[in-house]
Amino acid sequence: MIWAAAGAVVGLAAGTALSGEVYRMSVRSGEPDQAACRECGAPLPAWTARRCRHCGQWLGAALVTELTTAMVMALLFGRFGGQPVVAAFAFLGAVGVALAQVDAAVQRLPDRLTLPAYPAVIALLAGAAVADHAGSSFARAVFCGLILTAAYLVLGIASRGQLGGGDVKLAGLIGLSLGWMSWQTMITGTCLGFVLAAVAGLALLAAGRASRRSLISFGPFMLGGAFLALLGASA
């Protein structure tokens, strides 16, 4: 419980720091970041601000980023608290919440979030490998990251745009984290992403909110599958 509570506090702080960036980056691919309030047109305040200083409008959905990140962090800290690798998983968890929200809003996984996460996650996993004398886990993580990136690249080419470049880049990060645990965790997390996407797609079809030609954001399902696989992975 102590670790989960600590994770919730850390997650709340991380979500607060990221929420403004989620609002700014929630624009279509190729468009510049949002620089003004969508309600009144006033320039956006400092990146950590949650409301427009001119009209008081919330920048994005109120407290969604903060509370979601707090929940994700609480579960990750509760599962991996006390293990050096928790820092890498928590970092990806926070970035993953932001990526999922942007992708769900505008079908885009910004490089500004994804690419800097690579050196950070690799460094945190390397630190965990040194602290835990887990060189084999680190080597497997890197190998899984490369394999999952290559697999998604092939799928992206074969799907003719159904999987975008952002999904390919995100796959490497997910492979790094899941691979640290085991090959089985990597496979499970990957499969869960496709299962979750399929279930969501069928639900949207049944509700009449999508057609067979509709494109859905895949990033949130990739991240959701990875999150569930990490929580369910054997120690």
Side-chain angles (χ1 to χ4, degrees):
M1 281 299 290
I2 294 176
W3 278 110
V9 172
V10 172
L12 194 61
T16 300
L18 286 167
S19 55
E21 289 301 287
V22 169
Y23 183 83
R24 286 171 170 79
M25 289 186 288
S26 293
V27 295
R28 295 292 179 182
S29 181
E31 296 180 3
D33 285 356
Q34 187 72 28
C37 173
R38 294 189 180 100
E39 294 296 320
C40 69
L44 292 181
W47 69 280
T48 54
R50 288 298 289 118
R51 286 189 172 188
C52 174
R53 292 176 181 172
H54 182 72
C55 68
Q57 179 71 24
W58 282 94
L59 303 180
L63 300 179
V64 170
T65 305
E66 295 90 333
L67 295 179
T68 304
T69 309
M71 180 192 71
V72 167
M73 291 282 209
L75 291 170
L76 288 173
F77 270 63
R79 170 66 179 81
F80 297 102
Q83 301 179 38
V85 75
V86 71
F89 293 161
F91 180 87
L92 183 58
V95 172
V97 169
L99 284 169
Q101 287 192 308
V102 175
D103 198 22
V106 294
Q107 294 189 328
R108 172 182 174 237
L109 293 165
D111 287 348
R112 188 147 59 87
L113 280 176
T114 307
L115 297 184
Y118 270 92
V121 170
I122 290 172
L124 290 170
L125 288 176
V130 172
D132 260 355
H133 305 288
S136 60
S137 295
F138 179 73
R140 184 176 59 240
V142 173
F143 196 34
C144 284
L146 292 172
I147 287 177
L148 206 57
T149 300
Y152 267 79
L153 179 59
V154 172
L155 286 174
I157 295 172
S159 68
R160 298 181 181 180
Q162 294 290 321
L163 283 177
D167 299 318
V168 176
K169 296 166 193 171
L170 177 59
L173 284 174
I174 289 173
L176 280 167
S177 299
L178 297 182
W180 172 275
M181 299 303 296
S182 68
W183 285 101
Q184 183 60 50
T185 304
M186 190 268 284
I187 295 170
T188 300
T190 303
C191 292
L192 277 174
F194 285 98
V195 170
L196 292 174
V199 170
L202 290 173
L204 290 172
L205 282 172
R209 298 180 60 184
S211 69
R212 292 183 179 180
R213 295 185 178 181
S214 297
L215 295 177
I216 63 173
S217 302
F218 192 47
F221 302 109
M222 294 172 65
L223 290 160
F227 179 66
L228 293 175
L230 279 178
L231 294 180
S234 58

